[in-house]
Amino acid sequence: MRTENKKVVIHAENCAGCLSCQLICSLTYQKEFNPLKAFIKVRYLGRAGNDNRVYFSDECNECGLCAEYCHFNALTLRKKKEVASLAAG
């Protein structure tokens, strides 16, 4: 998947905490199913609903596999120009 013009966008409110993103990342880059070794992190904050914090480590190259494997649309792959215009407001 070519993603040099794309960016992974986080929609943490949709995160179910299934860790599929962490599993595909760790399998792809560390050759093992180990969420602790993934470049994406999901932390459950312990409040009501889907209250998870999702973030990336500095090693993440934004390959987009996490977004591809996210079944809850908590991660999406968007064009960098779209993301910049959304942030500008």
Side-chain angles (χ1 to χ4, degrees):
M1 174 187 314
R2 297 179 52 95
T3 61
E4 62 270 356
N5 293 320
K6 299 201 175 176
K7 180 167 182 57
V8 177
V9 177
I10 299 169
H11 309 277
E13 67 277 5
N14 294 337
C15 179
C18 70
L19 306 185
S20 291
C21 56
Q22 288 184 301
L23 291 172
I24 192 61
C25 180
S26 65
L27 179 63
T28 301
Y29 294 104
Q30 306 299 328
K31 305 299 183 220
E32 61 181 288
F33 284 113
N34 185 343
L36 297 175
K37 293 187 177 184
F39 301 147
I40 184 171
K41 306 296 179 189
V42 177
R43 299 287 178 254
Y44 177 65
L45 299 177
R47 296 185 284 256
N50 291 351
D51 194 18
N52 297 306
R53 180 169 177 246
V54 182
Y55 58 97
F56 299 97
S57 70
D58 292 337
E59 295 87 5
C60 176
N61 64 8
E62 293 199 60
C63 70
L65 281 173
C66 55
E68 183 180 334
Y69 281 83
C70 181
H71 302 289
F72 299 94
N73 293 318
L75 303 166
T76 58
L77 204 54
R78 305 280 296 266
K79 291 181 182 176
K80 285 184 180 180
K81 288 181 182 179
E82 288 178 23
V83 175
S85 65
L86 288 173

Short mmCIF file of all heavy atoms in Angstrom, two decimals, residues 12 14-22 42-44 50-52 54 72 74:
data_model
loop_
_atom_site.label_atom_id
_atom_site.label_comp_id
_atom_site.label_asym_id
_atom_site.label_seq_id
_atom_site.Cartn_x
_atom_site.Cartn_y
_atom_site.Cartn_z
N ALA A 12 -10.76 8.20 18.10
CA ALA A 12 -10.70 7.39 19.31
C ALA A 12 -12.07 7.02 19.86
O ALA A 12 -12.24 5.96 20.47
CB ALA A 12 -9.88 8.11 20.39
N ASN A 14 -14.44 5.85 18.35
CA ASN A 14 -14.91 4.63 17.69
C ASN A 14 -14.12 3.39 18.10
O ASN A 14 -14.47 2.27 17.73
CB ASN A 14 -14.81 4.77 16.17
CG ASN A 14 -15.74 5.82 15.63
OD1 ASN A 14 -16.73 6.17 16.25
ND2 ASN A 14 -15.41 6.35 14.47
N CYS A 15 -13.06 3.58 18.86
CA CYS A 15 -12.18 2.47 19.21
C CYS A 15 -12.87 1.53 20.19
O CYS A 15 -13.32 1.92 21.26
CB CYS A 15 -10.88 3.00 19.82
SG CYS A 15 -9.74 1.69 20.30
N ALA A 16 -12.93 0.25 19.81
CA ALA A 16 -13.53 -0.78 20.66
C ALA A 16 -12.50 -1.47 21.54
O ALA A 16 -12.85 -2.31 22.36
CB ALA A 16 -14.25 -1.81 19.79
N GLY A 17 -11.23 -1.16 21.35
CA GLY A 17 -10.18 -1.79 22.14
C GLY A 17 -9.87 -3.21 21.73
O GLY A 17 -9.32 -3.97 22.52
N CYS A 18 -10.16 -3.58 20.49
CA CYS A 18 -9.94 -4.96 20.04
C CYS A 18 -8.47 -5.28 19.79
O CYS A 18 -8.09 -6.44 19.73
CB CYS A 18 -10.76 -5.23 18.78
SG CYS A 18 -10.18 -4.38 17.30
N LEU A 19 -7.65 -4.25 19.60
CA LEU A 19 -6.20 -4.36 19.40
C LEU A 19 -5.80 -4.96 18.05
O LEU A 19 -4.64 -5.33 17.85
CB LEU A 19 -5.52 -5.12 20.54
CG LEU A 19 -5.78 -4.62 21.95
CD1 LEU A 19 -4.95 -5.39 22.95
CD2 LEU A 19 -5.52 -3.13 22.07
N SER A 20 -6.73 -5.04 17.10
CA SER A 20 -6.37 -5.54 15.77
C SER A 20 -5.26 -4.70 15.15
O SER A 20 -4.36 -5.22 14.49
CB SER A 20 -7.58 -5.52 14.83
OG SER A 20 -8.52 -6.47 15.21
N CYS A 21 -5.31 -3.40 15.38
CA CYS A 21 -4.29 -2.50 14.83
C CYS A 21 -2.91 -2.84 15.41
O CYS A 21 -1.91 -2.89 14.67
CB CYS A 21 -4.64 -1.04 15.12
SG CYS A 21 -4.89 -0.66 16.87
N GLN A 22 -2.85 -3.09 16.70
CA GLN A 22 -1.58 -3.42 17.33
C GLN A 22 -1.07 -4.79 16.87
O GLN A 22 0.13 -4.97 16.69
CB GLN A 22 -1.71 -3.41 18.84
CG GLN A 22 -1.85 -2.01 19.41
CD GLN A 22 -1.87 -2.03 20.92
OE1 GLN A 22 -2.74 -2.66 21.52
NE2 GLN A 22 -0.93 -1.34 21.53
N VAL A 42 -2.84 1.55 22.16
CA VAL A 42 -4.23 1.74 22.57
C VAL A 42 -4.27 1.60 24.08
O VAL A 42 -3.86 0.58 24.61
CB VAL A 42 -5.17 0.71 21.91
CG1 VAL A 42 -6.60 0.89 22.40
CG2 VAL A 42 -5.09 0.79 20.40
N ARG A 43 -4.74 2.62 24.74
CA ARG A 43 -4.84 2.60 26.20
C ARG A 43 -6.29 2.82 26.61
O ARG A 43 -6.91 3.80 26.21
CB ARG A 43 -3.97 3.69 26.82
CG ARG A 43 -2.51 3.56 26.53
CD ARG A 43 -1.89 2.39 27.31
NE ARG A 43 -0.48 2.27 26.97
CZ ARG A 43 0.02 1.32 26.19
NH1 ARG A 43 -0.75 0.40 25.68
NH2 ARG A 43 1.29 1.28 25.93
N TYR A 44 -6.81 1.90 27.41
CA TYR A 44 -8.15 2.05 27.94
C TYR A 44 -8.10 2.98 29.14
O TYR A 44 -7.33 2.76 30.08
CB TYR A 44 -8.72 0.68 28.35
CG TYR A 44 -10.08 0.74 28.96
CD1 TYR A 44 -11.17 1.18 28.22
CD2 TYR A 44 -10.29 0.39 30.27
CE1 TYR A 44 -12.43 1.25 28.77
CE2 TYR A 44 -11.54 0.45 30.84
CZ TYR A 44 -12.61 0.89 30.09
OH TYR A 44 -13.85 0.98 30.64
N ASN A 50 -16.67 3.75 24.81
CA ASN A 50 -15.40 3.45 24.15
C ASN A 50 -14.40 4.54 24.50
O ASN A 50 -14.12 5.41 23.70
CB ASN A 50 -15.59 3.35 22.63
CG ASN A 50 -16.39 2.16 22.23
OD1 ASN A 50 -16.69 1.30 23.05
ND2 ASN A 50 -16.76 2.08 20.97
N ASP A 51 -13.86 4.47 25.68
CA ASP A 51 -12.98 5.52 26.17
C ASP A 51 -11.53 5.06 26.08
O ASP A 51 -10.92 4.69 27.09
CB ASP A 51 -13.37 5.89 27.60
CG ASP A 51 -12.73 7.19 28.04
OD1 ASP A 51 -12.30 7.96 27.18
OD2 ASP A 51 -12.65 7.41 29.26
N ASN A 52 -11.00 5.07 24.88
CA ASN A 52 -9.63 4.63 24.65
C ASN A 52 -8.80 5.79 24.11
O ASN A 52 -9.31 6.63 23.38
CB ASN A 52 -9.60 3.47 23.66
CG ASN A 52 -10.33 2.26 24.19
OD1 ASN A 52 -10.04 1.78 25.27
ND2 ASN A 52 -11.30 1.77 23.44
N VAL A 54 -5.67 6.51 21.67
CA VAL A 54 -4.92 5.87 20.60
C VAL A 54 -3.84 6.84 20.15
O VAL A 54 -4.11 8.02 19.90
CB VAL A 54 -5.85 5.53 19.41
CG1 VAL A 54 -5.07 4.82 18.31
CG2 VAL A 54 -7.03 4.68 19.87
N PHE A 72 -13.73 -0.84 13.09
CA PHE A 72 -14.64 0.08 13.77
C PHE A 72 -14.47 1.53 13.32
O PHE A 72 -15.03 2.44 13.91
CB PHE A 72 -14.44 -0.02 15.29
CG PHE A 72 -14.75 -1.40 15.81
CD1 PHE A 72 -13.74 -2.33 15.96
CD2 PHE A 72 -16.05 -1.77 16.10
CE1 PHE A 72 -14.01 -3.61 16.42
CE2 PHE A 72 -16.33 -3.04 16.56
CZ PHE A 72 -15.31 -3.97 16.71
N ALA A 74 -12.05 3.46 13.74
CA ALA A 74 -11.34 4.29 14.69
C ALA A 74 -10.07 4.86 14.05
O ALA A 74 -9.54 5.87 14.50
CB ALA A 74 -10.97 3.49 15.93
#
